[in-house]
Amino acid sequence: MEFLTHVPVDRTVVLPFLAAVALMELTPGPNMGWLAIVSLSQGRTAGLAAVAGITLGLTLWMVAAAFGLTEVVLLWPALYQTIRWAGVGFLLWLAWDAWRSTGDGADAAPIETRRRALFRRGLIGNLLNPKAALLYVVLLPGFIRPAQGPLLAQALTLGSLHVVVSVIVHSVIVLTAARAGGALLTRAQGPRMRAAMALGLVAVAVWTAWETRA
């Protein structure tokens, strides 16, 4: 592949790295569940706004890991647990917000306002996901070759490739869920839809608590 001749990493690790991150992104997780719920209930553009927020959060974790900042999460278990439970609490708050909403306010809000809200929620949710930090702390070192060149350039390059894979996988989830949700939205409205959304978010919160246990 032509692009492999231009990346500042060992070319032999690029494809194995892409395969590894693709498998991880395809493994069911909190982001996948939340994006599916948003796209099913609010449609494609809402889901893509959420993807943008998640992507920015992941990018910030990636840059922090490249500079060695995320190792603090491993050195201070209390910090890890604080981030972990804050993330779970945030998801439970989203569930409560979905349950108590009448739907009228959300529908009346301008589209751009709703998109910005989903962007912020995606960003905050991913920043409160310690698994994103541990992913880079645990995964990246195995694909970095000190003899190849500057470690920072390698970490940023591989991290950027992971972000690209994440965007592709998350976008496919959104488009698939939004298509399925088109028919659903015409049949399920009001309290039943709110209850389904709330229960789905509670399930994602429980899932997050289990998957991030240390």
Side-chain angles (χ1 to χ4, degrees):
M1 298 177 69
E2 181 65 23
F3 82 93
L4 294 180
T5 62
H6 302 294
V7 295
V9 298
D10 184 347
R11 286 177 289 174
T12 63
V13 309
V14 174
L15 292 182
F17 178 79
L18 290 174
V21 296
L23 285 174
M24 286 192 307
E25 289 298 332
L26 289 170
T27 301
N31 286 338
M32 185 179 291
W34 183 63
L35 286 173
I37 291 170
V38 169
S39 303
L40 278 168
S41 61
Q42 301 186 48
R44 180 182 60 189
T45 57
L48 292 176
V51 169
I54 288 173
T55 302
L56 178 57
L58 184 62
T59 301
L60 292 175
W61 275 122
M62 181 268 289
V63 173
F67 284 93
L69 300 178
T70 53
E71 292 183 9
V72 176
V73 176
L74 293 181
L75 295 175
W76 290 358
L79 177 59
Y80 177 89
Q81 292 299 330
T82 299
I83 296 174
R84 175 193 180 212
W85 288 111
V88 172
F90 181 68
L91 287 168
L92 291 174
W93 176 83
L94 291 180
W96 169 248
D97 188 57
W99 169 255
R100 69 183 175 85
S101 172
T102 63
D104 297 334
D107 292 338
I111 293 176
E112 287 303 317
T113 299
R114 283 179 276 163
R115 288 176 182 170
R116 284 196 295 269
L118 287 167
F119 174 86
R120 288 194 300 269
R121 291 179 177 187
L123 172 60
I124 294 170
N126 221 36
L127 289 177
L128 294 177
N129 179 12
K131 277 280 188 176
L134 294 181
L135 181 152
Y136 290 115
V137 172
V138 173
L139 182 69
L140 276 182
F143 292 91
I144 290 177
R145 302 291 183 264
Q148 184 69 26
L151 301 185
L152 178 60
Q154 294 186 60
L156 290 173
T157 300
L158 292 173
S160 298
L161 290 175
H162 172 229
V163 171
V164 171
V165 171
S166 171
V167 170
I168 293 172
V169 172
H170 289 160
S171 297
V172 170
I173 292 169
V174 165
L175 295 176
T176 303
R179 170 171 285 188
L184 179 65
L185 287 173
T186 62
R187 301 176 185 177
Q189 296 291 340
R192 290 186 179 181
M193 174 61 77
R194 298 199 306 272
M197 288 178 61
L199 288 174
L201 287 166
V202 169
V204 173
V206 173
W207 191 354
T208 300
W210 175 258
E211 286 294 319
T212 58
R213 69 195 186 283

